[in-house]
Amino acid sequence: RAMERTVWWLVVIPLAPLLAALLNFLCGKWWIRHRAHWLDVPAVAVSFLVSLLAAAPVLGGHETLRQPLYTWIAAGDFYVPVELVVDELTAVMLLVVTGVSLLVHIYSIGYMQHDPAYYRFFAWLPLFVFSMVMLVLASNFLVLFVFWEAVGLCSYLLIGFWFRRRSAAEAAKKAFVVNRIGDFGFALGVMLLFTSLGTLDYEAVFHAVPELSSGTVTAIALLLFTGAVGKSAQLPLFVWLPDAMEGPTPVSALIHAATMVTAGIFMVARAHPIFLAAPTAMWVVATIGALTAFVAATIATTQFDIKRVIAYSTVSQLGYMAMALGVGAWIPAIFHLFTHAFFKALLFLGSGSVMHALHDELDMRRMGGLKRWMPLTYWTFVIGAAANAGIVPLAGFWSKDEILVGAWVGGAPLLALLGLVAAFFTSLYMFRAVFLTFHGEPRFDPHELHPHDPPATMAVPLVVLAIGALLAGFAGVPPENGWIHHALEPVFEAVEHHTVPLGITVGFAVISTIVALGGLWVAYAAYVSGSIAPARVAERLGWLYRLAANGWYFDVLYQRFIVRPLEAFAEWLWRTVDVGIIDGAVNGLAQAVAALAQLWRRLQTGLVANYALVIALATVILVGVSLVMGSTLFR
C-alpha cells in the first residue's frame, strides 16, 4: 500500500445524512413537513460527492484514509475506538451506497409526495443511509455490529412505514425477528473472536488468525456467516425479504440494491482472512449460496406480484454473491454486488412507476399493454431485466459470468452448473415480468386508470440507473483484468488467484448467453406468441409447480414446526408457570395472610370483660411459667 493518511473531512460522509434525519425527525411534523426532501437530497448528495473525493486516491493510488473520532471503550486491555477507515473495498461500497441512495431519495420526492407522513419517511431514509455508511466505514467488529443492528432497526421502521396496515406491520416484525436469529449467531461469533484473540480490530484480528486452531476459526467463520444468512437473505432465513415488499417501493429499492442485504456480503468479504483459514466454512458458504440462487429463481418464476418477483430475484442474486465468496471468487462477488445495485434499483423503481400509474396495482395479470402509454418506464425496465438476466453486454452478464467461471475453476463444477440452471430461470422470470406487464392487450380499463410515465423526479433516476445497468459491467472488462479487479486487488492480495484459461472464460460466456436467450425465448413463447401454454405446463409439473408457487413451503414449515409449537409452549408457560406457579404463589401468600388476619380479627370483640379475661389468663400463665422456671433454677 502506498500510504495511509488522516483526513478530517471523512466525517462529512456519515454526518450529512445523520443531520438531515435528525432535523426531519425533530422538526418535520411542525415545520418542515412536505419540504423534508430539501434537507435529505442535498445531504445525501454531499455524502456522495465526498465519497467520490475519498474514492479517488484510494482506488487510484491505493491509499488508505483514516479519521479517528473518539475512544468508545477503554477498559483494561479492551480498547475500542470509533474511527472511519476507507480502503478499496470500503470505497466501492461507499459509491454504491451513497450513489444509489441519492437516486432513491430523488425518486421518493415524486413517489411519496401525497403521503401524510412525508416528513417521517424522509427522517428514516437518511438514517438508513447513515447506518449503512457507518457499517462500511467501521475499523473493528464491534462498531460493525452496532451499525449492523442499526441497519436492521431502520429496515424495521421503513418496512412498517404504513404501520396502520396490518400486513406492513407483520412484515416489519417478521423481518426484525428473522434477522435477530442470524444476528444472534453473529454476536456469538464476535464474542468468540474477542475471547480467542483479545481484540476486535480488523487489522489485529486478521494478523492473528493463524494463531487460532482450525476448530475455533471454523466456528467463528460459521457464526459470522449466520449473521450474513439473515441479513443477506440466504437459505433458510430468506423468508423475510419477499414480505418486505409491504414497505414503500423506494424502500424496497434501497434495501435490495444499496443497504441491508449487501451488508452480509460486505461483511464476509471484509472478514475474508478468517474464512480463508476455514475451508469447511467456505464450503458451507458456497453451497448455501448456490442453493439460494436456484431455489429463489424457481420461486420467482411462479409469482404474479411484480415486486415479489423482483424480491425473489434479489434473493437469487445474493445467492450468486455468496457462492462466489465461498469458492474464493472474492472480487467477482463484489463486482456483482456493484453491478446488481444498478439494475436491481432500476427494476424496483420501474415497478414503482408501474404501481404509480395503476393506482398501486401489483398483480401482473391485471396489467398488460403498458408499453404504449409508458415508453420510458418500459425501456428502462427492459434494460434492467436484461441486465439481471445476464444478456450480453449488459452489466449482469460480466459479473455473473465471472462468478460461474470462479466456481468452475475453484473446484465446484456442480455449483457452477446449478448457477447456470438458476441463470435460465432468471432470464425466464425477468422477461415473463416484462411481457406480462408491458406487452399484449391491457387487462385493465385504460379509460379509468390513465397510465402514464412518471414525473421528472421519478424519471431521471430511472434513466441514470438504466445507463448504469448498460455500462457498469465494463468496469470488469476484460474479464479477470478489468478496472475493478485492479482496484480491489490490494484488499484481497493474500488470496490465491486462479489462472483462468481463455477457453473456459469464452466457453462460459457463450453457454451463459445461450442459457439466458433460452429463458427469454421460453418467456416469449409463453406470454407473447402463445406457442407454450403456461397453465398447461403448470398442470403437468404438478407438485413441482406447487412447490415453487408456495415458496418451497418454507413459511408453512416455519409456521407449523416453529411458530405454532413456540406459541403453544408460551401459552403453557403462561398458564402453568405464570398463572399457576408465580401468580399462584403470590395470590396464595396473600390469601394466607388474609385468612390469618381474619383469625386474629375474631379476637378483637370490643368487650372489656373479654379483654379482662384474656389479661387474667395471660397473668396466670406468666406466673405459672415464672414459678416453674424459678423452682428449676434453684433446685
Side-chain angles (χ1 to χ4, degrees), residues 566-585:
L566 284 176
E567 286 180 344
F569 179 61
E571 186 170 355
W572 177 83
L573 287 176
W574 164 54
R575 294 185 182 278
T576 305
V577 178
D578 192 24
V579 176
I581 298 176
I582 298 175
D583 287 356

Side-chain angles (χ1 to χ4, degrees), residues 254-291:
L254 199 59
I255 289 176
H256 289 246
T259 61
M260 188 70 172
V261 296
T262 59
I265 304 301
F266 167 79
M267 183 271 293
V268 175
R270 173 60 74 200
H272 69 274
I274 298 174
F275 286 85
L276 285 172
T280 302
M282 292 279 284
W283 177 85
V284 171
V285 173
T287 304
I288 288 180
L291 290 174

